[in-house]
């Protein structure tokens, strides 16, 4: 049987590279692209066809191979905080890339488009987020993700789509030098380096943390699971965890004494959000890796790097 060809954008990033690796193991033909704006060369998986292109540049898109079965669009600027520093950069990376890829998909009759959106689209409108809740993004990042979602749906008579509203992903492979994206990785990196954790915002804020392997598995499952097609899906575990609890687990893993320093929160920070997973449960029955186990795996991986 001929295996499908999948274009993975953001292939040098945290989630994209892990997805490429899993697709290769399953014998799909993988074409990856990235412009290394935040992604790392070492993340590019051997065995994929790789193209170094900036997807916000329309002319560059034309060099992509045309006979693609699926586009997995994960390229983007992934920090809410950074989106305030340069909103136009965020617009280019999170919306213009989507706009260009949709245009490319339509012209080349590509039939499937899966998109990495974010729980940031909800803002503070709800704490237990259901996909039908009002979206009131607080950051430019959330705003541009929402714009991409709307644009995909507007064009969806041309292809099947899945929009994943991804919650907070963590785990091995995350860039520990990036101090502006990834709540758990930021805390873990500073704990290992200085034995102190700087928390920007209240310890009572809460999130829905999802381990990287679970995220990858669900994207791959979406290739076969017809019930997932043409939907917006919350990609979270449905478990609410407060920042204070996250720190407690991390501190227990760390043998050295550590302290917590609390600072002002970052612009556009959501107070608390977790996923209503009723839809995910219905279309995909799976037990998620629990937080303690996930943190332990992440900690042990990160410790080896130090
Ligand atoms: N990690 C999370 O917790 C999380 C949560 C919600 C949504 N997401 C979304 O999932 C996607 C992947 O996240 P990640 O954590 O792997 O982020 P990441 O920053 O590690 O990966 C994004 C990749 O996109 C690349 N990129 C950016 N602009 C580009 C452009 N114009 N052309 C080509 N490549 C470009 C970057 O170089 C980077 O390698 C992102 O779109 C992010 O917004 C992530």
């Amino acid at each position: 049987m001929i295996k499908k060809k999948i274009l993975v954008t953001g292939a040098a990033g945290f989630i994209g590279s892990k997805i490429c690796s899993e697709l290769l193991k399953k014998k799909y033909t993988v074409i990856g692209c990235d412009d290394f704006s935040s992604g790392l060369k070492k993340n590019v998986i051997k065995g994929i066809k790789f193209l170094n292109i900036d997807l916000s540049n329309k002319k560059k898109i034309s060099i992509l191979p045309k006979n693609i079965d699926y586009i997995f669009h994960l390229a983007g600027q992934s920090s809410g905080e950074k989106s305030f520093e340069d909103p136009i950069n965020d617009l280019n990376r999170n919306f213009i890339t989507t706009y260009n890829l949709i245009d490319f998909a339509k012209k080349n009759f590509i039939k499937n488009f899966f998109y990495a959106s974010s729980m940031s689209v909800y803002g503070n409108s709800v704490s237990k987020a259901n996909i039908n809740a009002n979206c009131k993004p607080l950051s430019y990042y959330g705003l541009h993700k929402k714009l991409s979602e709307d644009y995909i749906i507007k064009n969806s008579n041309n292809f099947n789509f899945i929009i994943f509203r991804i919650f907070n992903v963590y785990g091995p492979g995350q860039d520990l030098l990036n101090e502006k994206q990834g709540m758990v990785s930021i805390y873990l990196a500073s704990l290992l380096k200085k034995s102190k954790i700087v928390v920007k915002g209240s310890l009572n804020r809460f999130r829905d943390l999802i381990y990287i392997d679970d995220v990858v598995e669900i994207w791959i499952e979406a290739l076969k699971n017809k019930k997932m097609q043409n939907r917006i899906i919350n990609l979270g575990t449905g478990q609410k965890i407060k920042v204070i609890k996250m720190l407690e687990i991390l501190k227990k893993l760390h043998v050295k004494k550590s302290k917590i320093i609390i600072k002002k929160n970052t612009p556009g920070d959501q107070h608390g959000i977790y996923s209503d997973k009723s839809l995910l449960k219905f279309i995909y029955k799976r037990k998620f890796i629990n937080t303690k186990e996930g943190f332990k795996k992440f900690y042990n991986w990160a410790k080896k790097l130090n």
Side-chain angles (χ1 to χ4, degrees):
M1 199 176 79
I2 299 168
K3 276 283 185 180
K4 305 278 187 208
K5 276 191 188 158
I6 302 176
L7 171 70
V8 180
T9 76
F14 171 42
I15 307 174
S17 61
K18 299 278 182 181
I19 289 180
C20 286
S21 169
E22 204 49 39
L23 286 170
L24 264 194
K25 279 188 207 154
K26 299 208 174 313
K27 310 276 184 237
Y28 288 95
T29 302
V30 185
I31 299 107
C33 64
D34 205 291
D35 69 348
F36 298 112
S37 48
S38 65
L40 306 170
K41 291 216 161 95
K42 67 172 186 196
N43 284 349
V44 177
I45 303 293
K46 280 197 190 82
I48 69 167
K49 180 180 164 58
F50 182 79
L51 297 158
N52 178 349
I53 45 173
D54 173 358
L55 296 163
S56 64
N57 181 336
K58 196 157 199 161
K59 280 188 200 138
K60 295 277 170 69
I61 298 252
S62 60
I63 70 164
L64 289 172
K66 313 220 161 17
N67 54 344
I68 302 276
D69 298 297
Y70 289 82
I71 295 178
F72 282 14
H73 181 30
L74 292 113
Q77 191 296 106
S78 54
S79 156
E81 185 180 353
K82 272 180 89 173
S83 75
F84 283 90
E85 293 165 10
D86 191 347
I88 299 293
N89 177 56
D90 193 84
L91 179 75
N92 282 327
R93 297 192 179 283
N94 283 325
F95 177 65
I96 302 297
T97 57
T98 310
Y99 177 91
N100 286 342
L101 281 167
I102 298 255
D103 191 44
F104 175 79
K106 278 162 63 177
K107 278 187 186 141
N108 295 293
F109 308 102
I110 298 168
K111 287 283 162 240
N112 300 282
F113 196 98
F114 295 0
Y115 180 58
S117 184
S118 163
M119 56 84 181
S120 301
V121 298
Y122 293 112
N124 277 336
S125 69
V126 277
S127 57
K128 182 175 181 174
N130 178 283
I131 55 153
N132 299 315
N134 264 347
C135 287
K136 293 183 182 164
L138 300 172
S139 62
Y140 292 102
Y141 170 72
L143 195 67
H144 300 146
K145 286 289 187 192
K146 183 68 175 68
L147 189 58
S148 287
E149 288 189 358
D150 292 347
Y151 194 71
I152 291 165
I153 291 167
K154 183 171 168 36
N155 285 281
S156 61
N157 47 354
N158 295 285
F159 45 71
N160 291 315
F161 73 91
I162 301 178
I163 292 168
F164 288 111
R165 289 184 178 159
I166 308 175
F167 284 67
N168 289 66
V169 189
Y170 71 97
Q174 204 155 12
D175 183 2
L176 296 173
L177 298 176
N178 186 341
E179 293 176 357
K180 294 193 174 169
Q181 202 276 326
M183 198 177 236
V184 184
S185 65
I186 294 171
Y187 297 157
L188 178 58
S190 74
L191 180 70
L192 288 173
K193 214 159 80 190
K194 304 177 214 138
S195 279
K196 67 181 182 197
I197 306 175
V198 178
V199 177
K200 294 179 185 166
S202 159
L203 295 179
N204 284 321
R205 286 170 304 141
F206 55 87
R207 292 291 184 270
D208 182 326
L209 304 177
I210 182 160
Y211 192 69
I212 181 68
D213 294 2
D214 287 325
V215 173
V216 172
E217 207 175 307
I218 291 167
W219 275 72
I220 307 275
E221 164 77 16
L223 287 165
K224 296 175 286 169
N225 190 330
K226 293 275 174 280
K227 287 186 196 159
M228 291 168 83
Q229 301 298 311
N230 301 313
R231 287 182 190 274
I232 295 176
I233 295 173
N234 271 345
L235 193 31
T237 62
Q239 297 295 316
K240 164 182 168 178
I241 176 165
K242 282 190 177 179
V243 170
I244 194 162
K245 180 75 189 163
M246 296 177 205
L247 301 181
E248 222 176 273
I249 305 174
L250 284 177
K251 280 172 71 142
K252 267 195 194 145
L253 289 167
H254 195 58
V255 196
K256 284 191 206 157
K257 240 185 153 180
S258 51
K259 67 177 181 186
I260 296 166
I261 298 160
I262 300 168
K263 291 196 174 166
K264 204 172 116 238
N265 59 353
T266 52
D269 191 19
Q270 286 157 280
H271 175 72
I273 188 142
Y274 68 109
S275 161
D276 171 336
K277 62 165 188 181
S278 46
L279 177 65
L280 192 57
K281 220 164 139 187
F282 153 68
I283 52 184
Y284 179 76
K285 292 184 183 64
R286 183 174 202 281
K287 217 171 159 242
F288 293 101
I289 291 175
N290 76 51
T291 316
K292 278 191 187 155
E293 190 189 339
F295 273 32
K296 195 169 175 192
K297 287 182 182 205
F298 193 19
Y299 181 88
N300 289 339
W301 172 83
K303 195 135 173 53
K304 278 195 206 132
L305 301 179
N306 270 270

